[in-house]
Structure formats: structure tokens, C-alpha cells
Amino acid sequence: KSLKKSLSNISRNMGTKRIYSLDFVKLVAIYLVLWGHCIQSLIPEVGSGEGKPVFLYIYSFHMSLFMIISGYFAVNIEGETLKKLIVSKFRQLIIPCISWGGLIILTDIVFNHLNNWEEGFKTFVFEIWFLKCLFLCYVVLFISKKIWNFNKLLAILFVFIAAHATSIYGLSCMLPCFFVGLGFAKYKYYLLNHLTAVLFFTSITYIVLLQWWDYDYAKYTFFNFFKFLMALNDPTVARPMLEGLLKEFYRICVGISGAVMILSFILLIFAKLPNVKLLNRLSVLGQYTLGIYVIQTVLLERIIKSVITFDASSFYYFNFLLAPAISLAVLICCIVLVKLFLRSKWTSFILLGK
């Protein structure tokens, strides 16, 4: 009875301005980002994760988790015009990308001796990919909702084509997670009342699917909808794309099951421990995740990476002691910097999109 009462309280709180449990999920997610980037950056790279199992497991769900939370809050765009949506999301998501993109290039020039402007341009375009992907998700959502009102099948087709028009920013894998978040917002009361079952089902699904997860998770031929249509009579082109589509579907299922597993686990913790002040205080830090994400691209992925690297042979020592400790230190530094930037309306706007 006490668990049901606590879950009922969480349900009601999800209509309020700040939701402690979801803020805590965001804090956990950004810490996992730092942990993964620490392993990726500070040990000499070997393929896309070969020899880095901790990195692989973190990367199996952590950005999916972020996108599901983002999709949950996307329900708030109801009633907005396309122009208002683009302006607000450009300010919130793209302006920090532009500002920090410039800072990343300057950092690369100083610390990594960047002297190739073509490489610098690619960095500017593709770095901080998640925020750019999230911006596109909002635009696709808005247009698809308009189409949904008069033809649901056409709306689903539009979302599929939009996700597979280009391979940039991981839109094809992130957009389904975004819509899962929307679904969670719509059916939150039902899901919260069956949270233990959701945790059990997603845990089993994630553990089973993870048996085929390896360092080649990102190596497949992207299914480009338009190129596929033009190559229907050429099986040497069409077949690898279809195989890539299946592998992409597998990645999405792994990401969503792992993300929902973590999400439901944390919600259950908050339901069982509703009055733990430490959890609520830590949750407040979850509101700084955008700032932490952009700052770490310079601080961790460039400056710290250029100063220190570690031997890949000390697996347990680095992955389970050093990397978590460095990630925690970076997290604290980023939070301090975010709070400093928030003191000025100009740095708040230019660097954090506030």
C-alpha cells in the first residue's frame, strides 16, 4: 500500500514544474555520458569500442535514456506554432551548439594543433550532435502531429522517411526513443501503476538482447530511404541497406529496453524512498545537464584528453576506479561552471541557451 501511495504521489508530481525523479534520471544519464567519454577519450581508441566492454554497455542505452526523457517533456509543445517552436528550440539547443562549436575549434587549435580548416568545419558541424538531433526531433514531431490529424498512416510514413533521409546526428536511432518518451508522458499513470512489471520486462529484454551486443554495434550500411528507392533493382546496394535496417532496429530495441529499465528502477527508488533529502538535493543538479554536456566536450574530450592518457591493460583499475572518479570530478567542475555562466544573462544565453 505504501508503494502504491508513493507511486501515486510521483504521478501527481509529474504535472508540476520540476520532477525530482526525472531530474535524478537526467543526472544519472549525464554521469554515464561522462564515464563513457572518459573511457573513450583517456584510453587510446581501439575501433568503436573493441576492448572497452564498460564503454559498450554504457553506450548501449545512455543516449536513448536522455532522448526518452526529452520526449517526455516534448508534450509541452502542444498549441505552439512552428515558428515559435523553431525560435525557442533554436535558442535553447542550437545557440549553445554554435557557441561551443567555436570554443571546441579554438581548443583543438591550442591543444590538438588543428591546422586543417576542413577538419575544423566537420567538427563544428557534427560535434554536440545530441542537441542538433533533439532539435530535429522537435521539428519532425510538430509536422507529424499536423499530418496525424488527417491521416495517421501518412504521419507514420513521414516519421520513418524523416528518420532515414540522412544518417547525420543519429536521428534514425534517436527519433523512436523520442516518441517512446512522448508515449510515456501520455500513459504515465498506467505505467507508474505497473512499474514493477515494466522493470521486470525491460530488464529481461535488455539482458537477452545484450548477448549479441559488440564493438561493431555502429558498423552497418545506413538505410537511406531515397537511395533505397533508386536501388531497388540493384540487390548489391539494396540488400546491405535492409540488413542495416535490421541492425538499426536491434540497436533501438537495446537502447529503449536498457533506458526504460534504468528509468523504471530509479522511479521505484523514489517511490520507496520518497523523503530522502540527499536524493532530492542531488536531483536538483539534473537541471544542469545541457550545460554539463556542452562543457565536457571541451573540458574532458579535449583539454583533459590532451594532458593525460592511461594504459588499456589496467582494465579494472581504470574502468571501475579511475574513470568514475575522473567523471565525478568533471561533473562537479561542469556544475560549478554552469552556475557561474547562469549569473550573467549574456553567458547564460550564449553558452547555455537560457
Side-chain angles (χ1 to χ4, degrees):
K1 287 184 178 179
S2 61
L3 178 59
K4 285 187 176 181
K5 184 178 178 181
S6 298
L7 288 172
S8 179
N9 289 335
I10 290 177
S11 298
R12 288 195 297 271
N13 290 337
M14 282 187 168
T16 61
K17 193 172 182 181
R18 292 227 67 88
I19 306 167
Y20 285 131
S21 53
L22 294 186
D23 275 339
F24 190 79
V25 173
K26 288 160 64 179
L27 181 65
V28 170
I30 197 64
Y31 180 74
L32 290 172
V33 169
L34 295 173
W35 192 356
H37 284 179
C38 192
I39 296 171
Q40 184 183 33
S41 301
L42 304 187
I43 293 180
E45 195 62 33
V46 184
S48 59
E50 186 177 5
K52 299 180 181 180
V54 178
F55 168 85
L56 283 175
Y57 295 141
I58 290 172
Y59 268 66
S60 67
F61 67 84
H62 76 311
M63 298 315 287
S64 300
L65 179 58
F66 256 128
M67 194 56 84
I68 288 173
I69 298 299
S70 300
Y72 176 88
F73 290 108
V75 73
N76 296 328
I77 72 166
E78 195 71 41
E80 288 193 7
T81 63
L82 181 59
K83 180 181 177 181
K84 185 179 178 181
L85 176 71
I86 289 176
V87 169
S88 66
K89 295 306 170 186
F90 187 89
R91 170 177 177 152
Q92 180 189 4
L93 302 171
I94 304 303
I95 285 179
C97 290
I98 294 170
S99 305
W100 287 95
L103 289 171
I104 286 169
I105 291 174
L106 287 174
T107 309
D108 279 342
I109 291 171
V110 174
F111 289 92
N112 299 320
H113 309 293
L114 175 69
N115 55 15
N116 185 327
W117 288 106
E118 183 180 348
E119 195 65 32
F121 178 75
K122 287 181 181 178
T123 298
F124 184 81
V125 171
F126 294 110
E127 274 288 348
I128 319 179
W129 65 270
F130 182 82
L131 299 187
K132 296 165 187 174
C133 179
L134 183 55
F135 177 83
L136 294 176
C137 285
Y138 273 106
V139 175
V140 171
L141 169 63
F142 184 92
I143 297 172
S144 64
K145 284 172 73 72
K146 296 297 182 183
I147 300 173
W148 182 269
N149 291 333
F150 66 88
N151 193 309
K152 293 177 174 57
L153 186 61
L154 192 61
I156 294 169
L157 180 62
F158 167 75
V159 171
F160 179 81
I161 293 172
H164 294 91
T166 175
S167 61
I168 63 171
Y169 306 139
L171 186 63
S172 61
C173 287
M174 291 292 101
L175 194 56
C177 302
F178 187 75
F179 278 93
V180 166
L182 275 172
F184 178 61
K186 185 174 181 180
Y187 300 105
K188 60 187 175 185
Y189 300 112
Y190 177 82
L191 291 170
L192 285 170
N193 286 329
H194 299 84
L195 206 53
T196 304
V198 172
L199 175 60
F200 176 79
F201 175 75
T202 52
S203 298
I204 296 298
T205 303
Y206 178 68
I207 291 168
V208 171
L209 290 176
L210 210 61
Q211 305 309 306
W212 295 275
W213 189 258
D214 59 31
Y215 67 90
D216 282 334
Y217 69 97
K219 294 181 180 178
Y220 56 86
T221 303
F222 176 73
F223 181 89
N224 184 296
F225 181 79
F226 300 106
K227 289 182 180 178
F228 179 76
L229 288 181
M230 291 186 288
L232 282 174
N233 295 324
D234 186 355
T236 60
V237 176
R239 184 169 180 172
M241 283 192 185
L242 288 173
E243 291 173 351
L245 189 62
L246 286 173
K247 191 162 186 178
E248 175 188 280
F249 179 71
Y250 166 70
R251 282 185 68 186
I252 292 168
C253 290
V254 171
I256 291 174
S257 60
V260 176
M261 175 187 71
I262 297 296
L263 175 60
S264 55
F265 178 70
I266 292 174
L267 290 177
L268 274 173
I269 289 176
F270 271 79
K272 287 181 177 293
L273 304 170
N275 299 315
V276 177
K277 291 183 179 180
L278 177 61
L279 285 178
N280 291 333
R281 287 176 179 174
L282 287 173
S283 298
V284 174
L285 303 177
Q287 65 185 297
Y288 302 132
T289 49
L290 186 149
I292 296 166
Y293 174 64
V294 292
I295 292 169
Q296 67 85 34
T297 59
V298 171
L299 180 60
L300 175 58
E301 295 181 45
R302 268 127 187 119
I303 297 175
I304 295 177
K305 180 181 178 180
S306 68
V307 175
I308 53 173
T309 56
F310 293 91
D311 186 354
S313 62
S314 53
F315 174 80
Y316 292 103
Y317 176 64
F318 179 78
N319 283 272
F320 296 106
L321 185 62
L322 273 180
I326 293 170
S327 302
L328 181 60
V330 172
L331 177 68
I332 294 169
C333 288
C334 289
I335 290 170
V336 171
L337 288 171
V338 169
K339 288 185 174 183
L340 285 174
F341 295 150
L342 286 172
R343 290 183 178 181
S344 164
K345 66 177 182 179
W346 291 111
T347 54
S348 179
F349 171 66
I350 295 170
L351 300 178
L352 303 175
K354 299 289 187 180

